[in-house]
């Protein structure tokens, strides 16, 4: 199967990694729009524009299904994308909501500003406290962790410590697991990519290949990708379509 996976940058690689672990024999096409990140503070209109360009690009690669490996896009434009395109599209949030309601009574959520504002988790999970963490994505993408501790001190102060699970509601956040865990030693950290991979049904086919497309390729990106992925990939920079859409 040809599977399209996309995000604002490297965060969705945490989802891709889980999909490849569970369904290795497939052809994966990943798009990370790191030139335009962070998505977490963009308007719904901007998010729809950017994600439509990405979907058009992935459809041009003849993908059979699409996975929105981004909490911000899943919480803000999933319905619009589903209505606009005629192929199966999976969001990253729905499986996590079901998993939480089946297993936990009191949880926390950390996510981007746009995800928290959408209240997509709060509408379906009764006992949940949420906190936006807008500095996390730029810290991760720029691979510059100098301000991480002060940001975590500030954000985590607002989250009750007696939660059973903490939803990492942005796909970038599993990259910070080792930093977040000491703040919540007795709490399960929920990786949405793992929940999705454990719940989605994809048939393994014969070939395996992983192609990564990013809107900006530089040394930092390659370093970041190699920290996350433990399998071979092909990498290409793609940005022509972004310029085109801006001028149209
Ligand atoms: N990985 C995206 C998410 O899950 C990050 C959004 C951003 O670029 O701010 O929300």
């Amino acid at each position: 199967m040809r599977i399209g996976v996309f995000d604002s940058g490297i965060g969705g690689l945490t989802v891709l990694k889980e999909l490849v672990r569970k369904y290795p024999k497939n052809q994966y096409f990943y798009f990370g729009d790191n030139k335009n990140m962070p998505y977490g503070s963009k308007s719904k209109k901007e998010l729809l524009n950017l994600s439509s360009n990405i979907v058009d690009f992935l459809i041009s690669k003849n993908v059979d299904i699409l996975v929105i490996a981004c909490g911000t896009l899943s919480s803000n434009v999933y319905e619009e994308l589903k209505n606009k395109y005629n192929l199966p599209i999976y969001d990253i949030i729905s499986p996590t909501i079901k998993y939480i309601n089946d297993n936990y009574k009191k949880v926390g959520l950390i996510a981007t500003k746009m995800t928290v504002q959408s209240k997509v988790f709060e509408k379906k999970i009764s006992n949940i406290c949420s906190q936006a963490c807008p500095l996390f994505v730029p810290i991760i993408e720029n691979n510059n962790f100098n301000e991480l501790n002060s940001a975590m001190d500030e954000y985590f102060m607002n989250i009750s410590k007696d939660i059973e699970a903490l939803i990492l509601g942005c796909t970038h956040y599993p990259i910070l697991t080792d930093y977040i865990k000491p703040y919540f030693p007795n709490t399960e950290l929920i990786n949405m990519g793992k929940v999705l991979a454990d719940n989605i049904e994809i048939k393994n086919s014969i070939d395996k290949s992983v192609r990564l497309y990013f809107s900006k390729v530089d040394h930092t990106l390659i370093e970041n990708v190699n920290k996350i992925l433990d399998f071979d990939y092909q990498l290409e920079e793609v940005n022509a379509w972004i310029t085109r859409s801006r001028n149209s």
Side-chain angles (χ1 to χ4, degrees):
M1 208 174 220
R2 297 170 78 88
I3 303 169
V5 182
F6 61 100
D7 178 45
S8 67
I10 56 169
L13 295 177
T14 64
V15 180
L16 178 74
K17 188 175 179 176
E18 297 296 336
L19 288 170
V20 172
R21 174 184 59 79
K22 188 89 191 278
Y23 301 102
K25 291 187 178 157
N26 279 292
Q27 290 167 279
Y28 289 93
F29 298 82
Y30 180 89
F31 194 95
D33 192 9
N34 55 334
K35 190 171 172 184
N36 292 303
M37 74 88 204
Y39 277 13
S41 46
K42 294 197 191 306
S43 70
K44 207 172 153 123
K45 194 171 162 220
E46 284 175 296
L47 292 174
L48 188 57
N49 262 336
L50 290 164
S51 55
S52 297
N53 281 330
I54 297 172
V55 172
D56 290 340
F57 173 81
L58 290 172
I59 286 177
S60 79
K61 300 289 172 197
N62 295 319
V63 296
D64 304 303
I65 66 166
L66 282 169
V67 174
I68 309 177
C70 173
T72 305
L73 294 175
S74 296
S75 56
N76 284 280
V77 296
Y78 174 48
E79 288 304 321
E80 288 81 352
L81 292 177
K82 228 170 45 172
N83 293 335
K84 189 168 170 188
Y85 293 97
N86 193 17
L87 79 172
I89 303 185
Y90 296 89
D91 77 301
I92 190 78
I93 289 178
S94 310
T96 295
I97 290 177
K98 182 173 185 317
Y99 177 74
I100 291 293
N101 283 332
D102 287 349
N103 292 285
Y104 302 101
K105 297 220 156 22
K106 185 169 185 188
V107 298
L109 165 73
I110 51 173
T112 66
K113 195 172 113 217
M114 282 301 279
T115 297
V116 169
Q117 274 178 10
S118 76
K119 298 218 175 295
V120 71
F121 286 95
E122 288 83 346
K123 281 176 200 155
K124 301 230 168 100
I125 298 172
S126 46
N127 203 346
I128 183 169
C129 60
S130 9
Q131 173 65 42
C133 307
L135 286 177
F136 283 0
V137 168
I139 285 174
I140 295 165
E141 289 281 340
N142 297 326
N143 202 6
N144 180 351
F145 287 66
N146 291 345
E147 284 173 27
L148 181 63
N149 277 323
S150 58
M152 288 195 302
D153 287 347
E154 185 195 323
Y155 298 148
F156 296 163
M157 214 168 56
N158 304 323
I159 301 174
S160 157
K161 292 291 172 292
D162 64 348
I163 49 173
E164 299 162 274
L166 178 67
I167 303 168
L168 307 180
C170 165
T171 54
H172 280 75
Y173 297 175
I175 298 165
L176 298 179
T177 297
D178 290 346
Y179 298 91
I180 298 172
K181 192 65 192 167
Y183 286 82
F184 300 94
N186 304 316
T187 300
E188 207 73 46
L189 301 186
I190 308 298
N191 176 341
M192 298 193 295
K194 182 167 188 319
V195 178
L196 174 93
D198 288 343
N199 287 284
I200 200 171
E201 289 281 322
I202 298 173
K203 285 197 183 86
N204 271 322
S205 37
I206 300 159
D207 305 335
K208 177 188 175 189
S209 66
V210 177
R211 292 187 184 83
L212 310 180
Y213 303 92
F214 282 87
S215 48
K216 188 179 85 184
V217 172
D218 58 17
H219 179 71
T220 307
L221 174 80
I222 294 170
E223 209 175 291
N224 282 337
V225 171
N226 289 339
K227 263 200 295 191
I228 302 166
L229 299 185
D230 49 10
F231 44 77
D232 293 342
Y233 59 81
Q234 288 172 12
L235 174 67
E236 200 178 303
E237 184 172 54
V238 178
N239 51 34
W241 55 271
I242 291 171
T243 313
R244 248 195 335 264
S245 84
R246 273 208 200 108
N247 294 340
S248 62

